[in-house]
Amino acid sequence: KSIGEMNICGLTPQVKDISNNEREYNYMITPRRGGLGETVLYVNGIEAKRYKSAQLIKNGSDYRLNIKRSELNSWFITGQTNRVSVKAYTAGNDISSRSVIDDEEGDNKTTAPPNLYAVMIGVSDYKGDELDLKYAGKDAMDISNAVAVSSRKLLNTDGKEHVFIYNLNTEKDRSGSPDKNSIRMTLSEIGKKATPNDILLIFFAGHGMMSGEKKQFYFLTSDASKATAADATADVGISTAELTEWMKPQNIKAQKRILIFDACNSGQAIRDFVKLGGNDQDYVAARDDEKAAQVKAIEKLNEKSGLFILSASASNQKAYEMSRYSQGVLTYSLLKAIKQQPDILDNGKYLNVSRWFGAAEKTVSELSKENNIRQQPQIVSNTNFNIGLVDEEVVAKIILPPEKPLFAASNLQNNDESIAADDLGLSRMIDNSLSALSERGSKGPIAFISNTSTPDAYKLSGRYEVKENNITVKVNVRRGKDVKRFELTGTTGKLIELAAAIAEEAARVVK
């Protein structure tokens, strides 16, 4: 519809700045045809306070909002101009007025490093066995270690500790459990410490699902089992609404925020969260080439506010673990970008969040295409900053699992020309054995994806000959023009055992 057809003229409230002293912000709010709902105060584009009409001062047909400037000091970032803005909504809180904006100078400029609070959540071990994953806990630890060493090189320049890592996962070396209450308490603890200058990073690896009437995204914590995930999602999962509440600026003042979801359906989290950073956000980086490089990098952190979200998949997609890499695809791609793609680094050494996420997104898409899976990462951002320094030591400490030999579906045929088919079903049995080898987790010698189209996958082919109860199988292990051959014998009464022996020998041959 056109603006005229929508009939919104004269609908939204009017907000006017009537401040006349340096100690207080004063606003006059005039309801119009749409009535008056909530009035929202933003600092640097992030919601600071929300007022119902009953909380305002009634003055005839108008309302007054008075805010002491001292009340907002804890929201201001030092060394920059801080933007204070107010908008008012119609009675249904669905359409807002234009913003009234004031710019407030912060304290004297400082190059004191911000603190990074990183909550690294990974759930491989759920209650029962049905939901268990292989690599989610390990993924959280691997990302945690990479971020910790890189961020400390950037932020601990004054001899003090500025990087605080909370490892809530199901691995042995964790600092806490990834259950719902522990996660909530951890974020509450951070809220008591974090300042507007600081950075909040939350990484989730595990199961995600859509639930509820509004089809909201839930991350399943270690409290979940197959039964509770279906029947009590709200009790064992963290919804985007809950996470929004736990980390909203009133509770955690850190204005630089990074969320990474390596979970199924996590694209919905972007849909649910994007409103957090949608209003009045217009951040522009000021580059000062006259300063030393590391001081500039810290100043960028102190001068920026915003939200970054990277999700492993769209709202209707799975996020895959791949045995070939012994990791989730997104986590592998994030680590690979730091270790093998120096072009993502700002000024050749700083870990730039936007470039980092962009490189990981491209790698996930390429791997998904090669392996015939559907996984497209989603990114939303309204700012950009560096969170670490990457040098040779950082690169060396990131250990990417060696790529395992990848096997595709097998194709063996009965050598009897009158049959000319796999009448014994040996190919399927071999594939089952290859899959079993692949499913041994990080200790598995191979990876198996039946329908992969990547040219570097090995494929078993060949023929078998049956004489009475004896069977002789001649196997070709082919990858491109490279062919390795072996022969095994067995009996028709023990085909499963023979198939397992063929899979084991193929794995040994390619290794």
Side-chain angles (χ1 to χ4, degrees), residues 362-401:
K362 183 178 180 181
T363 300
V364 171
S365 299
E366 291 172 349
L367 292 175
S368 300
K369 185 177 180 180
E370 287 179 5
N371 294 288
N372 286 329
I373 59 177
R374 184 168 174 258
Q375 180 175 338
Q376 181 60 48
Q378 310 288 306
I379 299 176
V380 65
S381 68
N382 52 36
T383 184
N384 189 19
F385 48 86
N386 301 327
I387 64 163
L389 187 152
V390 178
D391 57 14
E392 291 182 358
E393 181 184 1
V394 174
V395 170
K397 286 188 175 181
I398 295 175
I399 308 299
L400 291 178

Side-chain angles (χ1 to χ4, degrees), residues 61-81:
S61 60
D62 300 323
Y63 291 82
R64 294 278 296 270
L65 172 61
N66 302 324
I67 306 163
K68 292 182 179 180
R69 293 176 186 254
S70 59
E71 292 181 25
L72 301 184
N73 285 342
S74 63
W75 293 85
F76 290 158
I77 298 177
T78 56
Q80 76 165 55
T81 299

